[in-house]
Amino acid sequence: MKIRRALATAVALAVTTPAALLAVSPAYADTKPVTQTQEKKSKPTIKELETAVAEAKEAYEKAAQAKADAMVELRKTLDELGSTHPLAVTAAAAKQAAKDADAAKTAADQAVTDAKTKLADLPEDATPEQKTAAETAVTEAEATAASAATAKAAADAKATEAVTAVDDARVAAARAYGVVDKAADDALAAKIAAEAALAQAVKEAEEEEEEEGDVCEPENDLTAEVTGLPNKLVAGTTTDFALRVTNGSDRNMDEIIAYTGVFATDKTGIKETGKFFRLQWSTKSSPKWQSADEDDYIDGLGPLKPGSHTDVKLRLTLDKATPAGNGVAFIAADFYNKDGSCGGMTDLNMYEFDVKAAGSKPGKTEDAKPSKAPKPGAGNTGTTPLGSSSGTPAQTGTGGSLAATGSSSATGSIALAGGAAVLLGAAAVFVVRRRKAGSAA
């Protein structure tokens, strides 16, 4: 839809800021801005992105294999730390020694208790020798118990140290695996990012290729003509007229789209179309009146065989507040084919008319006659108003200045109001089309 987008942009820009379009219209034939070209060069090429994807894929595969190997090693280490690993063997021996020391201390403590019981159970008539022997037995038992307690504390400390060593080894093994696991995750993320960048670049390249392939050619044998549009209209009235689009070529056109832009002017300049004018359309296939004011396009006119035409009913309503002045309607048509080819009229048809104040009589009227919107070039650079050979305002048929009267000849009034920019802007679209078509060739 390049013609449609470009035409709508050019006309909208011309209507809202005529001076801006007059200043920049030569740029349509230039190459892209240097900054844009430099930005494009800084982007990696698809080949470079493909290389990056291949490298990222290889790195990920190596990281994934390292992760798998690390998992095997982790499981092996954890199994050994539970049985045959030297640290596990040391821990098991230390725990057994602590257990034995605990048992020895328990036995020594019991021996102290027994010795004290025997001492307490001596009869009153026990000899001094018996008492001394019993007391000696208690002292020896207490010494043994103290030694057993010391041995148990030492064994417990060694067992705790050995068990901690095993636990530390397990943690170290898990951390080692974690490093490899993270490296694999990072490699996967890099691979995904590289693939996404490549996919985006390919998508953009395909879109650019599709757009470049959508260059539309001028079609001299596609015409759009208006009938029944009076050359004088009164504010506050509605006028019905018709548009006929004809395929005078020898090829089929699968889809026809018409452009209809209507603008009001007075001595103060171009007015907002939507504020004063309301343009509607209907066709045989879509009999209900539809607004053409959204983007000035009439869609869905269907296919046209060679030599055939299609008709559109148009209805233009002028608001009562429309100021007296002039108006102009621009008409064009484009076509699009299923095979991707497309084209459009080489010129915009321009229909000029006078706008009378609400309540006035239009007087004798006739159908507005078409004229071609001039293109920027040697004959019209965009710096001289249409209808004038210099910057001097064009004169009316009665000798009055259009800028002063705001009526009479529509051409001069449009030029003074900046309408020339509209024509140049529309014509610039076809310069774009030819340039792009030439580049594609």
Side-chain angles (χ1 to χ4, degrees):
M1 297 295 182
K2 276 194 172 181
I3 297 179
R4 174 171 181 158
R5 290 196 299 267
L7 187 57
T9 301
V11 174
L13 178 60
V15 173
T16 55
T17 53
L21 181 64
L22 289 174
V24 302
S25 57
Y28 278 101
D30 295 339
T31 57
K32 295 181 178 179
V34 175
T35 54
Q36 183 177 354
T37 303
Q38 291 175 344
E39 179 183 354
K40 206 164 188 178
K41 285 184 178 180
S42 66
K43 294 181 179 179
T45 65
I46 290 181
K47 184 176 181 179
E48 290 172 339
L49 290 172
E50 288 175 340
T51 300
V53 168
E55 292 175 351
K57 182 179 180 181
E58 182 180 0
Y60 169 68
E61 289 174 351
K62 290 181 179 178
Q65 184 60 52
K67 177 181 177 179
D69 294 342
M71 175 56 74
V72 172
E73 187 64 26
L74 174 62
R75 289 174 176 170
K76 177 183 177 183
T77 300
L78 293 178
D79 287 343
E80 290 177 349
L81 286 171
S83 57
T84 61
H85 193 281
L87 291 177
V89 173
T90 300
K95 286 191 288 185
Q96 183 60 49
K99 184 178 179 181
D100 293 342
D102 181 69
K105 181 180 179 298
T106 300
D109 290 341
Q110 185 61 48
V112 171
T113 300
D114 293 342
K116 288 181 177 181
T117 301
K118 286 183 179 181
L119 176 61
D121 290 343
L122 285 175
E124 292 180 2
D125 56 351
T127 66
E129 293 79 7
Q130 289 178 327
K131 290 180 180 181
T132 299
E135 289 171 353
T136 300
V138 170
T139 299
E140 291 176 351
E142 287 176 341
T144 301
S147 178
T150 300
K152 177 181 183 304
D156 287 343
K158 288 184 178 180
T160 300
E161 183 180 353
V163 170
T164 300
V166 172
D167 291 341
D168 289 345
R170 289 194 178 100
V171 171
R175 285 177 177 173
Y177 172 78
V179 172
V180 179
D181 182 51
K182 185 178 184 304
D185 289 343
D186 291 343
L188 177 60
K191 173 177 171 289
I192 292 174
E195 290 171 343
L198 175 60
Q200 180 64 26
V202 171
K203 179 182 178 182
E204 290 177 357
E206 290 176 348
E207 289 176 350
E208 289 178 3
E209 183 179 353
E210 181 179 351
E211 287 184 1
E212 290 175 358
D214 192 26
V215 175
C216 296
E217 302 289 345
E219 178 51 74
N220 293 321
D221 294 323
L222 178 64
T223 60
E225 298 180 347
V226 163
T227 57
L229 175 64
N231 62 348
K232 298 176 183 178
L233 297 174
V234 178
T237 63
T238 296
T239 301
D240 288 347
F241 57 106
L243 167 65
R244 171 166 289 185
V245 180
T246 303
N247 177 10
S249 72
D250 58 358
R251 59 174 171 175
N252 287 315
M253 297 180 181
D254 296 334
E255 182 62 37
I256 300 295
I257 293 178
Y259 169 78
T260 57
V262 185
F263 305 95
T265 71
D266 66 5
K267 63 183 180 181
T268 64
I270 293 179
K271 302 301 179 184
E272 296 181 33
T273 303
K275 184 176 180 180
F276 297 110
F277 289 175
R278 183 189 180 199
L279 183 64
Q280 296 174 286
W281 63 272
S282 71
T283 61
K284 186 176 180 180
S285 60
S286 301
K288 184 178 179 181
W289 287 106
Q290 302 182 53
S291 174
D293 297 334
E294 292 299 324
D295 60 1
D296 299 324
Y297 274 89
I298 301 174
D299 293 317
L301 296 185
L304 279 183
K305 294 180 179 180
S308 64
H309 65 265
T310 184
D311 293 322
V312 181
K313 294 180 181 180
L314 296 174
R315 174 172 290 175
L316 179 61
T317 300
L318 279 64
D319 189 90
K320 287 184 178 181
T322 305
N326 310 109
V328 61
F330 296 107
I331 305 296
D334 302 328
F335 75 88
Y336 301 91
N337 290 331
K338 296 176 181 178
D339 62 4
S341 61
C342 55
M345 292 173 54
T346 55
D347 297 283
L348 284 171
N349 282 336
M350 180 176 68
Y351 294 82
E352 303 163 285
F353 54 87
D354 291 339
V355 177
K356 304 295 183 181
S360 62
K361 300 294 183 182
K364 184 179 180 181
T365 64
E366 58 184 25
D367 284 359
K369 303 300 181 184
S371 58
K372 302 298 182 184
K375 302 176 181 63
N380 187 357
T381 64
T383 58
T384 302
L386 299 180
S388 172
S389 59
S390 67
T392 305
Q395 302 296 313
T396 67
T398 60
S401 170
L402 290 175
T405 63
S407 59
S408 190
S409 171
T411 304
S413 181
I414 292 169
L416 293 175
V422 178
L423 309 185
L424 290 172
V429 174
F430 300 101
V431 175
V432 177
R433 181 188 300 161
R434 291 193 186 94
R435 178 175 63 80
K436 290 185 176 180
S439 299

